[in-house]
Each structure stands twice: as C-alpha cells, then as structure tokens.
Amino acid sequence: MEPKNDKKVIRSWAFFDWANSAYNLVITSTIFPAYYTIITSDKDNNTIDYVTFMGKKFVNSALYNYALAFAFLVIALLSPILSSIADSRGNKKLFMQIFTYIGSLACCGLYFFEIENLQLSIVLFVLAAIGFWGSLVFYNAYLPEIATPDMQDSVSAKGYAYGYVGSIILQLICFVFVFFPSTFGLSGEGQASRLSFLMVGIWWALFAQIPFRKLPAGTADLQKARASWLTGGFKELRKVWAQLKHMPYLKRFLTAFFFYSMGVQTVMLVATIFGEKQLHLPTSKLIATILLLQIVAIPGAMLMSFLSRRYFGNVKVLIGVVIIWIGCCAGAYFVTTEMQFYYLAATVGLIMGGIQSLSRSTYSKFLPQESPDHTSFFSFYDVTEKVALVIGMFSFGYIEEFTGSMQNSLIALAAFFVIGLVFLLLLRKVEPKTENQTFAV
C-alpha cells in the first residue's frame, strides 16, 4: 500500500474533479437545461410545455427530471456490482476510465441534439449522467486510501475547489461561443450551445488522463475474486449494513445524509430550469447566475472546511448548513423577481460545495481506516445518495406534473431537509467516544 498524504497523488486525484465538473456545470446546471427548455417550449408563457418520449406525453421539465432519476436508479443498481468487481480484481481505476469515456462520448454526441431527435438525445443525456455518477463511485473510494483522517476534510475540499475552478474556466470559454456565435462562424446560440456539449466531452476525457496516470490501480482481493461478481456487490452492501449496526454514529449520519441529499442535488439540478420556466429569465442571465453560484462555491467549500476543522466540527457545521438550505427552499417558493433569484443563487452557491465536501469527508473519517473494503463502503454511500436522488428528482417532477406548479415541488424538498436536520441533531446521542474519532464531531 502506497504512503498516504502524497501531494502529487492528491493533486492528481483532485484533477479528476477538474475534469468531470465541466459536465456538472455545463450539462446539468447551465447551458444544457436552458437549451433543453428552450427547444422543447412552445414560447407561450401562458401554456404548459409538453413533449413526447417513447410514445408518452410529458411536461418537458418533468421528462428532464424523470430522465435523471432513471440514470441515478441505474447507477444505484450497477454500483454494487461494479464495486464488487473492482474490489476483487483491484481495478477500480479501470472502471473510472470506462465510465469517464461513456460520459464524455455521450456529451460529444449531444452536439447533434435537435428537437427532431429528442429521443436519442435524452438517451445520450442519461448515458452522460451514468458516466459522471458512475465514475464518482470509484473516485470517492480513493479518498481514505490517499489521505489520513486528519487530512480528509482539506483533501475533499481541494477536490471540489479544483472542480469549481476547472468547470468555470470551460464555462467561460463556452460563454464566449454562446454570446458571440457569429464571431466564430456559428449559426446562433443553438449551435454554440451544442458546441459547448462537445467541448465538455473533450475536456472531460483529456484532463482525466492526469489522475489516470498517477492514481494506484488497487490490489486484487483473491478471496473476493472467488465469489460471484453479480451477487458479490450486494453481499458486500449487506456486509456493510451489518457493520453499520455496530457503528450507530455512522448509521445515523447516513440516514441524515440520505434525506438532505434528496434536496441538495435536486436543487442543483433543477435551478436553471426553475429560472427559465418560473421567472422566464433569458439564457445569458441564467448562465451568468449559475456561473456566479459556482464562483462563490469555492470560498464556501473552503470556509466550511475551516470552520469544521478549527471551531465547530463537521456535524455542527452541517447542521447550520442544512438550516440555511431549508431557508433557501422556503425563499424559493416566494421568489418572483430577478433580483430575488440572484440573491438566492448566491446563498445556495456558498453552501453547495461545503455540504458535499463535508458529507464525503465526514463519512470517510468514520470508516475503518485500514480496511481494504473502502470501495464497498463508498459504494454503500453512493447507493444511498443515488436512491435519494431518484426520490428527489422523481418527486420534484411528479409534483409539478400533478399540481401544475414547480413551486409546489419545493415544499417536498424543504421537508426532506427538515428530516435530515432531525437526524443530524440526533447524532449527538450516539457520539463516538474513541479518541481518534472526536475530531469529526
């Protein structure tokens, strides 16, 4: 096993965030959702926009939510199997590569997204999401292998910071094409948007070569190799669940994480469509707003890491952040003006990176540090997050379709955050007493 806290390895690991966060910003947060909403809209603000997919009629934004929910469901089902194979054969880097190339090629394919080939484009959109989230299963599993517990907060935050910087650089490049298409011989904003999808795929695959060259491949577990690769992953999840019964702190933290993740990721994934459909903001302003959100997320993630390390501990900071998220959901329900949306986006940006980074590092700290089963534990973590996302995205889309208002979906998100907050508050009752764990609470 290679020594931990190697600066070159950590830097290489963080560059994977740099590489794939371009997808998270351009495809899930800014240009793609805005482009999707525009080309599937009838341009009448007084009517509901419908699209037909696989012979069934959907509200356009609901189909977007359902597509993502399906992608997360696929990952939730696949990741235990893949993690089992990676653990037994010691090839987690190979699976990082496979999912990266699936995602990046799907993004390149979205260059051909026109309303006439909506069905194929939705399939590519789902594949891109599967590639992104599937690669993260193995990326996250590297954290306890490359950093000691006292360094995992800062290393996790470093990854998010690299991701924000890298994605912003590419977003600014895409910005130029979208706002000045004629300068580059493009037909308009539509072609410029599709060019952005192509650039994301190339950027993602290109910069991923840095971690692929430096990260260790892993060590094969011969005992696991003899088990069934199809059922082995689910057996590992059951094994992790059995271990969690004797780790009440981690079990309760995962419960809290499950509920507040329903809200966090859903808000991030629907923010642009919300601004487009509810406030009818132009694409340029939406992209600028989400870009601002990403910029303020960098100091936000660093601030949360600093506060948890120096003053309050992870859980108290997470409690404060979840309370702010509840306030954001409540505020979004009453948002009616452009400036209110900007203030809300800035607040979400400050807390967005912090809650993701601290969640990952808090979980990592409480794992058995010398265990060879980090991939299995992080598979459990990722399955928890993906199931939460399936529920969050599906409920958001279904409530909008059922009630006719996206704002009503925000009530469900606020409820998810409240439940997560309750379990975070209950963590103090099962606080671990061992000396090497007190730094995290």
Side-chain angles (χ1 to χ4, degrees):
M1 183 178 292
E2 296 189 14
K4 298 183 180 183
N5 300 334
D6 182 298
K7 291 183 179 179
K8 290 183 179 179
V9 172
I10 289 172
R11 191 180 305 116
S12 297
W13 177 83
F15 256 104
F16 193 73
D17 246 319
W18 175 291
N20 70 4
S21 290
Y23 159 85
N24 214 15
L25 181 56
V26 175
I27 304 297
T28 66
S29 300
T30 57
I31 298 178
F32 182 85
Y35 176 80
Y36 171 85
T37 306
I38 289 171
I39 69 168
T40 58
S41 170
D42 61 9
K43 309 301 185 295
D44 185 346
N45 295 336
N46 298 315
T47 61
I48 297 175
D49 299 313
Y50 289 98
V51 291
T52 301
F53 180 75
M54 301 295 185
K56 183 173 173 55
K57 193 175 181 182
F58 297 91
V59 174
N60 62 345
S61 52
L63 175 62
Y64 179 91
N65 293 329
Y66 295 153
L68 281 177
F70 176 77
F72 297 137
L73 180 60
V74 170
I75 290 300
L77 294 173
L78 278 183
S79 61
I81 299 172
L82 298 173
S83 296
S84 174
I85 298 173
D87 269 349
S88 62
R89 291 169 174 77
N91 55 1
K92 74 175 68 169
K93 186 195 290 188
L94 174 63
F95 283 102
M96 277 181 66
Q97 292 171 320
I98 291 172
F99 277 99
T100 293
Y101 296 137
I102 288 173
S104 61
L105 288 173
C107 288
C108 292
L110 287 172
Y111 175 76
F112 303 100
F113 185 7
E114 300 276 6
I115 190 62
E116 293 79 14
N117 54 26
L118 174 68
Q119 296 199 151
L120 174 61
S121 301
I122 291 294
V123 171
L124 290 173
F125 175 57
V126 168
L127 287 174
I130 290 173
F132 175 77
W133 292 100
S135 66
L136 288 183
V137 173
F138 306 99
Y139 170 66
N140 287 337
Y142 271 109
L143 181 57
E145 294 186 21
I146 65 174
T148 53
D150 61 306
M151 291 292 293
Q152 286 168 13
D153 279 346
S154 60
V155 171
S156 182
K158 187 185 189 78
Y160 280 106
Y162 269 51
Y164 289 128
V165 173
S167 60
I168 286 170
I169 290 173
L170 182 61
Q171 177 74 88
L172 288 173
I173 296 171
C174 296
F175 228 21
V176 175
F177 286 103
V178 171
F179 290 158
F180 308 102
S182 59
T183 304
F184 302 95
L186 302 173
S187 60
E189 281 190 11
Q191 187 182 9
S193 297
R194 297 195 303 275
L195 179 62
S196 298
F197 310 152
L198 175 63
M199 292 169 64
V200 167
I202 295 171
W203 176 283
W204 187 355
L206 183 65
F207 281 103
Q209 302 311 308
I210 297 174
F212 290 163
R213 283 201 304 266
K214 193 67 179 176
L215 288 175
T219 304
D221 187 325
L222 297 180
Q223 184 176 353
K224 288 185 179 179
R226 290 191 290 268
S228 168
W229 62 267
L230 183 61
T231 61
F234 295 99
K235 289 179 180 177
E236 287 298 311
L237 289 185
R238 286 200 299 271
K239 180 180 174 183
V240 170
W241 178 250
Q243 289 179 265
L244 287 174
K245 292 179 181 179
H246 305 288
M247 306 166 73
Y249 189 91
L250 193 57
K251 182 179 178 181
R252 194 163 290 182
F253 169 75
L254 275 173
T255 305
F257 172 74
F258 174 74
F259 283 103
Y260 68 66
S261 288
M262 292 183 195
V264 172
Q265 295 291 352
T266 302
V267 167
M268 293 164 58
L269 293 169
V270 302
T272 299
I273 288 184
F274 179 85
E276 173 74 37
K277 289 193 69 173
Q278 295 296 120
L279 304 177
H280 312 298
L281 298 179
T283 302
S284 59
K285 289 186 177 181
L286 283 171
I287 295 175
T289 301
I290 303 300
L291 185 60
L292 170 65
L293 186 149
Q294 298 293 320
I295 291 173
V296 298
I298 299 172
M302 295 301 183
L303 175 63
M304 301 306 168
S305 176
F306 174 76
L307 290 175
S308 65
R309 184 177 67 253
R310 292 290 299 273
Y311 295 106
F312 304 108
N314 291 34
V315 174
K316 287 182 180 178
V317 174
L318 282 172
I319 287 171
V321 171
V322 170
I323 290 173
I324 298 173
W325 273 105
I326 294 170
C328 288
C329 288
Y333 184 86
F334 297 102
V335 163
T336 55
T337 69
E338 190 174 317
M339 285 306 299
Q340 290 173 344
F341 181 74
Y342 296 152
Y343 289 136
L344 186 66
T347 304
V348 168
L350 281 172
I351 58 178
M352 179 177 65
I355 195 167
Q356 292 178 293
S357 176
L358 278 182
S359 296
R360 180 170 65 184
S361 60
T362 301
Y363 182 74
S364 179
K365 283 180 178 182
F366 285 92
L367 298 182
Q369 292 300 312
E370 302 307 319
S371 169
D373 294 334
H374 289 138
T375 305
S376 296
F377 272 97
F378 268 98
S379 175
F380 195 95
Y381 178 85
D382 282 298
V383 168
T384 299
E385 183 181 42
K386 299 309 169 291
V387 173
L389 278 165
V390 170
I391 297 172
M393 294 299 297
F394 182 83
S395 62
F396 197 92
Y398 181 77
I399 291 171
E400 182 193 1
E401 277 208 304
F402 184 74
T403 66
S405 172
M406 191 178 287
Q407 285 177 301
N408 292 329
S409 301
L410 294 167
I411 299 174
L413 297 189
F416 296 148
F417 279 115
V418 170
I419 297 172
L421 175 63
V422 170
F423 280 99
L424 283 176
L425 292 171
L426 290 174
L427 275 175
R428 309 303 297 186
K429 293 187 177 182
V430 289
E431 181 176 336
K433 303 301 181 184
T434 57
E435 183 179 348
N436 68 339
Q437 288 178 317
T438 55
F439 54 77
V441 292

